[in-house]
Amino acid sequence: MTREPVATHRIAHVSDSHLTASGVFHEVLRPAATYSAALAALEGSGIPIAALVHTGDVADEGEEAAYTAVRAVTDEVLDRTGWPVLWAAGNHDVRAPMRQHLLGEAPDDAPLDRVLEVDGLRLVSIDSSIPGRVEGGFEPEQLAWLREVLAEPAEHGTVLAMHHPPLPVEVTAMARLHLTGQEALAEAIRGTDVRAILAGHLHYATSSVFEGVPVHVAPSLAYTIRLTRPGGGVIAVDGGRAAGVLSLYDDGRVGHTSMPTDPAGVLTSTPESVFASMGVDVEH
């Protein structure tokens, strides 16, 4: 009998919701609705989610009302699911109103760096936003804090969340908006228990490896960007939205599965019993 690895934790991953105070984005998009649809898809999947991670650009212009709307939409789901949430700040976010109106804390402009422990798994968000800039980076004090956090391994390791991903950028125009100082980040996580890095910012799904750690980028829940030829600029589309599910397995492996969140009709539904009679028996 073949044994499949068992997931010890499954982490829901969303990014770049870009809510606005007016409720409208780029004149036609309704980001509260697309964000709500993503949470509904995750909740309705039946997947035993251990926590929700949002990797930034929660609001498009850092407006107080936008963060209040995000909190209302999220709390409605959390009241039913009980999911703990880890938030990362993006380049469109503004730290003080995000703290006050989303996190319920005193307004402050310091970096939003956080640690969330979930059943032996350590989730860490580090703020890659640079106020007034689009590209990302970290202050030396942040990396010193990260090294201190990671000095003691967690039972099930660590997942690191940030807005700007430490990976090659495939859309040429977006490469100018990348994460700076990646060598210092690599040094900070080298030899630690970091098992995966979650990020956003690029508005398209992609993955890579950084310092031996898999990096997974979730597409935007507001609009997505198409891959284009080098020098082809940026093409934004109203579609292709998805959430991610990060699975951490008992044999040390990790996986990241994309879950489409745009409306789609069901073509067919095949019950589990049909597959039970096929192929090799699988033990979980």
Side-chain angles (χ1 to χ4, degrees):
M1 183 175 287
T2 301
R3 182 189 182 277
E4 281 285 292
V6 175
T8 60
H9 301 77
R10 285 195 165 95
I11 308 301
H13 176 204
V14 297
S15 199
D16 296 81
S17 48
H18 286 275
L19 266 73
T20 64
S22 69
V24 181
F25 185 42
H26 285 307
E27 299 182 352
V28 296
L29 301 177
R30 302 282 177 175
T34 53
Y35 175 60
S36 180
L39 297 186
L42 289 164
E43 183 182 5
S45 70
I47 295 170
I49 291 168
L52 172 68
V53 173
H54 192 308
T55 49
D57 280 359
V58 178
D60 186 61
E61 296 182 2
E63 300 160 305
E64 295 178 0
Y67 290 120
T68 300
V70 172
R71 184 167 182 174
V73 171
T74 307
D75 283 351
E76 182 179 349
V77 175
L78 301 189
D79 286 345
R80 294 189 297 269
T81 63
W83 298 337
V85 185
L86 184 70
W87 303 92
N91 53 284
H92 280 265
D93 290 310
V94 180
R95 292 168 178 173
M98 183 173 174
R99 268 194 170 88
Q100 183 176 7
H101 297 281
L102 179 62
L103 305 180
E105 302 174 1
D108 191 295
D109 292 323
L112 277 156
D113 302 328
R114 293 288 190 275
V115 178
L116 175 65
E117 300 277 352
V118 181
D119 297 329
L121 177 68
R122 181 167 54 201
L123 303 174
V124 178
S125 65
I126 184 166
D127 189 343
S128 64
S129 69
I130 303 173
R133 304 289 298 180
V134 180
E135 73 274 18
F138 303 109
E139 298 175 7
E141 295 80 7
Q142 289 181 273
L143 295 177
W145 169 82
L146 180 61
R147 287 192 292 270
E148 184 178 347
V149 168
L150 298 176
E152 186 71 27
E155 179 184 358
H156 290 285
T158 297
V159 173
L160 186 59
M162 62 187 70
H163 184 63
H164 300 77
L167 48 64
V169 179
E170 298 296 337
V171 177
T172 308
M174 295 290 290
R176 299 172 178 84
L177 318 179
H178 74 159
L179 178 67
T180 63
Q182 294 186 29
E183 299 83 0
L185 176 64
E187 183 180 348
I189 69 170
R190 187 172 299 140
T192 68
D193 68 347
V194 176
R195 297 177 63 184
I197 297 173
L198 301 179
H201 184 57
L202 300 180
H203 284 233
Y204 63 89
T206 187
S207 61
S208 186
V209 176
F210 178 75
E211 193 59 34
V213 177
V215 181
H216 301 289
V217 176
S220 169
L221 294 178
Y223 67 89
T224 59
I225 287 176
R226 287 180 178 167
L227 291 181
T228 56
R229 67 187 185 281
V234 170
I235 298 173
V237 297
D238 182 4
R241 302 173 184 88
V245 177
L246 179 74
S247 297
L248 299 106
Y249 296 101
D250 60 357
D251 64 356
R253 284 184 284 179
V254 300
H256 191 270
T257 304
S258 184
M259 177 185 293
T261 61
D262 288 330
V266 176
L267 296 178
T268 183
S269 179
T270 307
E272 180 73 19
S273 57
V274 172
F275 297 97
S277 61
M278 297 180 180
V280 179
D281 288 339
V282 177
E283 176 188 358
H284 289 282

